[in-house]
């Protein structure tokens, strides 16, 4: 067996503590030298943190309404979507425009799902009064 120079290097304080632990097998001090190795070893055992259980996210809700009137050359869509955001709240996303074109959009942020749902229902009622309807699947463009 060939003796390498790295086998003769002294163990750092952290390596000695880990070696004294009964459930830890030390890593061979390969490629370590006092000039490059610090006392902050990356070979420590991982620390398992207690993570709080996540809340069940609210459901994604999407509603698409259309207003099509060929005699007026009107082919519009209005889409409402509720999605959880990264801050623990709910985003109401609104997209609108002419079918087949890039439209516009806006996002409203809410703290609670019920507030966002109430706002979404109010906007859907407003658009329904203006002639928007859900599109049946049988209609072909």
């Amino acid at each position: 067996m060939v003796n390498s120079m790295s086998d003769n290097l002294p163990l750092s304080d952290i390596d000695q503590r880990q070696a004294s632990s009964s459930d830890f097998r030390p890593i061979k001090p390969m490629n370590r030298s006092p000039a490059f190795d610090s006392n902050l070893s990356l070979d420590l055992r991982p620390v398992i943190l207690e993570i709080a259980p996540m809340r069940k996210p609210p459901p994604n809700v999407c509603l698409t309404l259309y207003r099509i009137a060929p005699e007026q050359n009107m082919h519009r869509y209005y889409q409402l979507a509720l999605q959880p955001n990264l801050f623990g709240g709910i985003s109401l996303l609104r997209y609108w425009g002419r079918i087949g074109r890039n439209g516009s959009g806006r996002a409203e942020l809410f703290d609670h799902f019920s507030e966002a749902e109430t706002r979404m229902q109010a906007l859907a009622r407003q658009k329904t009064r203006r002639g928007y309807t859900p599109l049946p699947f049988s209609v072909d463009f």
Side-chain angles (χ1 to χ4, degrees):
M1 196 183 244
V2 177
N3 259 347
S4 69
M5 187 182 291
S6 63
D7 289 337
N8 298 331
L9 290 176
L11 293 174
S12 69
D13 293 338
I14 294 172
D15 290 331
Q16 289 173 357
R17 277 184 276 155
Q18 286 181 340
S20 66
S21 172
S22 63
D23 61 335
F24 180 76
R25 288 180 277 143
I27 297 174
K28 285 182 116 183
M30 267 173 76
N31 299 328
R32 289 192 178 178
S33 69
F36 298 109
D37 194 25
S38 70
N39 289 334
L40 303 174
S41 175
L42 297 176
D43 299 331
L44 290 174
R45 288 183 301 198
V47 177
I48 299 174
L49 299 175
E50 292 280 330
I51 299 176
M54 292 182 61
R55 294 184 302 169
K56 181 180 176 187
N60 290 343
V61 179
C62 185
L63 172 66
T64 305
L65 301 171
Y66 298 92
R67 185 172 179 192
I68 300 172
E71 63 280 355
Q72 298 175 350
N73 194 23
M74 186 183 304
H75 303 278
R76 296 181 183 171
Y77 70 92
Y78 194 84
Q79 187 175 38
L80 299 164
L82 292 177
Q83 294 180 348
N85 59 32
L86 296 175
F87 305 109
I90 298 293
S91 298
L92 171 60
L93 307 173
R94 305 183 324 179
Y95 302 102
W96 63 89
R98 185 173 173 88
I99 296 173
R101 304 279 182 190
N102 289 336
S104 299
R106 176 175 287 175
E108 294 180 41
L109 304 176
F110 296 91
D111 291 331
H112 302 287
F113 183 78
S114 59
E115 296 171 358
E117 191 175 33
T118 303
R119 175 71 172 141
M120 181 180 177
Q121 291 170 354
L123 288 168
R125 275 193 306 273
Q126 179 186 16
K127 291 300 175 183
T128 304
R129 276 189 253 123
R130 292 187 180 175
Y132 284 80
T133 58
L135 188 65
F137 291 106
S138 60
V139 174
D140 190 20
F141 290 102

